[in-house]
Amino acid sequence: MLATLLKVQRARRLSSDVLSCFISGTEVRSSEKLSGSCAAAWRRRLTGDVRGVSTSCPLSSKARGQHKRELSEKKLTRHFVDQRRVKLLAGSGGKGASSFHSEPRKEWGGPDGGNGGDGGSIVIKADKFIKSLSQVVPIYKGEDGEPGGKKNCYGKNGGLSYIPVPMGTVVKEDGETVVDLSEHGQEYLAVFGGAGGKGNRFFLSNENRAPMNATPGVAGQERVLQLELRTMAHAGLVGFPNAGKSSLLRAISNARPAVAAYPFTTLNPHVGIVAYRDHEQVAVADIPGIIRGAHLNRGLGISFLRHIERCPFLLYVLDLSTPEPWEQLQHLRFELDQYEPGLSQRPQAIVANKMDLPEAREKIEALRSCVTQRVIPVSALTGENTEELILHLRELYDSYLSGEGKPTRW
């Protein structure tokens, strides 16, 4: 009893020491040193007598002010896929059942085998919330129908399988276009499910009162299709590599494509949204760089020329650091016309980029004398004269609305 009382008094005295140490110093500073017993007791009070817990380490929560790092073009390439080859296998039908009804006092009830269920079909559906074909897998298998049962029970049909794809996806078979999914919610029934087999009840007739035969289900349709995504944008930035298209898209929209000082920085199209005060939005696509012979599948080839087909108007981005920038315009128009006749004649504007360079001032007048279209000198690096480009972009957009009808809202 006496020993227990001494322990209680020590604990009380230790607590009072700790309290006096804290009150006398008002705050425990890192530079101040407590006595050995006082510091040990204070540490136990903070940690709750739990070993291995440090009270001096910072919290593990994310520090404020840290922003998400932008993805590099290599990582963006992994997320963006614009073409897929898929194999579609529809579900097979369930087999029919062969059975006879039997119960007490009704031994000759007759055939009661039900039909099998139909196999599930596969539907390709356009979805505006899907931006890439990266989620499309190489093989799709539909749901099979369930077999029929006795007592005239029919098998369950296989459910529909949906493949969500972005708007602007073109479905091709053997190189020929089958359907163009350009509207949200548009569906295309790609493969049909097989029909279910017939049970022996189906074959009941006056001539055959006890049929024994039942048919198996039909196999589902099999098909191999090519899915190609054509970026749907109102305006397309067309130019040679290192012309500054990605930097220009950064300057006028909310897109953040990768920018570097070497050719073919952009490996996939990027779409940016230019917002106006009246809440109208114009989509601008940064098409990867085109080189001479692109229509012959050189460089990045024709895999990205098809994205320009969906752009109602074009913005030719010319590099004023080259000796003769007007020759770039001629080569770009030639490549577009070779890919699709008349593609280069769509409503357009010429954007003379890199006006921040000293030699660009001299070339802008020579460029204007060689072309008849409007030339807009800008600097994507400094943002010089980007307001004129944004206003002219709205003029092209308004003229497109008046002539073609209201486009897809982004």
Side-chain angles (χ1 to χ4, degrees), residues 228-249:
E228 294 183 1
L229 174 61
R230 296 178 178 176
T231 304
M232 296 183 64
H234 303 132
L237 298 177
V238 184
F240 282 96
N242 261 14
K245 299 183 298 296
S246 300
S247 301
L248 185 61
L249 187 64

Side-chain angles (χ1 to χ4, degrees), residues 29-35:
R29 306 289 184 182
S30 60
S31 59
E32 296 176 351
K33 295 183 180 179
L34 300 175
S35 60

Side-chain angles (χ1 to χ4, degrees), residues 106-343:
K106 196 175 182 181
E107 298 180 358
W108 308 99
D112 65 347
N115 300 336
D118 298 335
S121 304
I122 300 179
V123 178
I124 303 176
K125 185 176 182 179
D127 190 347
K128 64 181 180 180
F129 299 104
I130 305 296
K131 300 301 181 184
S132 173
L133 294 175
S134 59
Q135 299 179 355
V136 178
V137 297
I139 299 178
Y140 283 91
K141 178 68 173 66
E143 183 179 357
D144 295 335
E146 295 184 358
K150 58 183 180 179
K151 296 183 180 179
N152 294 321
C153 292
Y154 282 35
K156 180 182 177 182
N157 295 334
L160 288 175
S161 300
Y162 289 92
I163 305 177
V165 296
M167 295 172 55
T169 301
V170 178
V171 181
K172 294 184 177 181
E173 185 176 15
D174 298 331
E176 297 183 1
T177 301
V178 178
V179 66
D180 186 357
L181 304 176
S182 58
E183 298 181 1
H184 174 67
Q186 186 177 356
E187 298 180 358
Y188 171 65
L189 186 57
V191 288
F192 294 89
K198 302 298 182 181
N200 64 338
R201 173 72 181 181
F202 177 80
F203 300 99
L204 177 63
S205 63
N206 292 332
E207 292 78 14
N208 188 5
R209 304 303 299 174
M212 301 288 295
N213 56 322
T215 59
V218 180
Q221 186 181 7
E222 181 178 346
R223 205 172 181 186
V224 178
L225 300 176
Q226 295 84 31
L227 305 180
E228 294 183 1
L229 174 61
R230 296 178 178 176
T231 304
M232 296 183 64
H234 303 132
L237 298 177
V238 184
F240 282 96
N242 261 14
K245 299 183 298 296
S246 300
S247 301
L248 185 61
L249 187 64
R250 278 174 167 257
I252 64 175
S253 70
N254 58 352
R256 291 295 175 266
V259 176
Y262 52 85
F264 298 109
T265 307
T266 302
L267 301 178
N268 288 295
H270 297 277
V271 179
I273 303 299
V274 181
Y276 294 88
R277 292 184 179 180
D278 58 351
H279 306 288
E280 195 66 65
Q281 295 178 346
V282 179
V284 182
D286 175 19
I287 309 299
I290 300 175
I291 64 173
R292 298 181 184 179
H295 67 282
L296 301 176
N297 209 19
R298 295 177 183 174
L300 295 179
I302 62 176
S303 58
F304 298 110
L305 283 173
R306 64 174 178 268
H307 294 281
I308 307 177
E309 296 181 32
R310 290 297 182 89
C311 299
F313 42 92
L314 307 177
L315 298 178
Y316 292 100
V317 182
L318 305 182
D319 185 2
L320 292 184
S321 63
T322 58
E324 296 180 348
W326 46 89
E327 290 187 355
Q328 293 185 0
L329 181 61
Q330 299 176 359
H331 293 304
L332 289 173
R333 289 176 174 173
F334 175 77
E335 295 297 332
L336 296 183
D337 288 335
Q338 291 297 317
Y339 175 74
E340 180 182 338
L343 183 59

